[in-house]
Amino acid sequence: MPGFDAPPRPTDRLFFALIPAADAGTAIVRQGRLLREELGLTGRLIGVDRVHVTLSHLGDYLELPQDVVATAMSAAANVRAEPFDVVFERVVSFHGRPRNYPLVLVGGDGDSDSNATLTAFQRTLVKVLQKAGIRSANSHYTPHITLLYNKYRVPPRVVESIRWTVQEFALVHSLLGRSRHVTLARWPLQS
């Protein structure tokens, strides 16, 4: 409408994530490439530099909010957990915007959660963040790794397992629309 400007679009996203070990990251991208070719998908693959498991989305912003970054970093320093193993062994399409469905790797077979320790770690992180006054957008959490976005959904299928031992978690700054992630800080998991 004349006289009304569209609200500005967010440019920055903050989230906590697990970054796969280098060999797992390479295997994830390779799995995405194989599925893309085998299924005739057209979506652009997520690059190895952006492969991750989101733990907690902290929000989208018009610029990087230094106060939220500082609070999140302080809270993350209070998270205590031992290293744990994760496994991703199935591919599914999540609901999304029409013609933009995320194709993701997940664990378990629908009857069991092969990533129960990961889910428990995520809940611990969310509680620590809430105690620090940060709301988390992950009320229903399904551990997953996005491979690509495609115009149609793909039936679930078992794929070659991708495993690694989680040694740390990270706070990530995503520059929206620029396909770039910047790791702001990492916290090691300690035995």
Side-chain angles (χ1 to χ4, degrees):
M1 288 181 62
F4 291 96
D5 292 327
R9 289 191 165 189
T11 56
D12 302 271
R13 174 173 290 159
L14 280 174
F15 60 92
F16 280 100
L18 302 179
I19 312 291
D23 57 339
T26 300
I28 290 163
V29 172
R30 183 177 59 247
Q31 183 67 64
R33 188 175 301 113
L34 291 171
L35 287 165
R36 187 176 188 269
E37 291 171 10
E38 179 184 334
L39 301 172
L41 307 177
T42 58
R44 192 173 79 179
L45 291 167
I46 301 294
V48 71
D49 58 330
R50 292 189 315 132
V51 170
H52 66 277
V53 179
T54 300
L55 294 168
S56 182
H57 177 255
L58 303 184
D60 293 349
Y61 305 93
L62 296 177
E63 61 183 40
L64 187 62
Q66 294 302 328
D67 58 332
V68 176
V69 171
T71 302
M73 290 175 75
S74 178
N78 294 316
V79 174
R80 300 287 179 259
E82 293 186 11
F84 57 91
D85 293 335
V86 293
V87 60
F88 294 87
E89 57 207 0
R90 291 178 51 235
V91 66
V92 300
S93 289
F94 277 177
H95 292 285
R97 295 187 310 268
R99 302 182 58 79
N100 196 31
Y101 300 105
L103 182 68
V104 303
L105 289 171
V106 295
D109 59 8
D111 296 325
S112 67
D113 181 3
S114 58
N115 289 321
T117 305
L118 166 53
T119 302
F121 176 77
Q122 187 269 348
R123 286 188 190 124
T124 298
L125 175 62
V126 167
K127 286 178 186 172
V128 169
L129 293 172
Q130 288 172 340
K131 190 173 180 180
I134 296 176
R135 282 190 20 227
S136 174
N138 299 92
S139 57
H140 176 73
Y141 183 66
T142 301
H144 67 278
I145 300 168
T146 303
L147 299 172
L148 57 85
Y149 292 85
N150 197 60
K151 60 184 168 183
Y152 60 88
R153 296 181 65 173
V154 172
R157 62 180 1 191
V158 174
V159 295
E160 182 180 340
S161 294
I162 297 173
R163 303 169 180 269
W164 77 91
T165 300
V166 175
Q167 302 285 344
E168 64 182 7
F169 68 105
L171 178 61
V172 178
H173 172 208
S174 175
L175 288 83
L176 296 176
R178 292 174 269 179
S179 299
R180 187 163 166 239
H181 287 173
V182 177
T183 300
L184 300 177
R186 296 174 186 260
W187 292 269
L189 301 183
Q190 314 259 339
S191 305

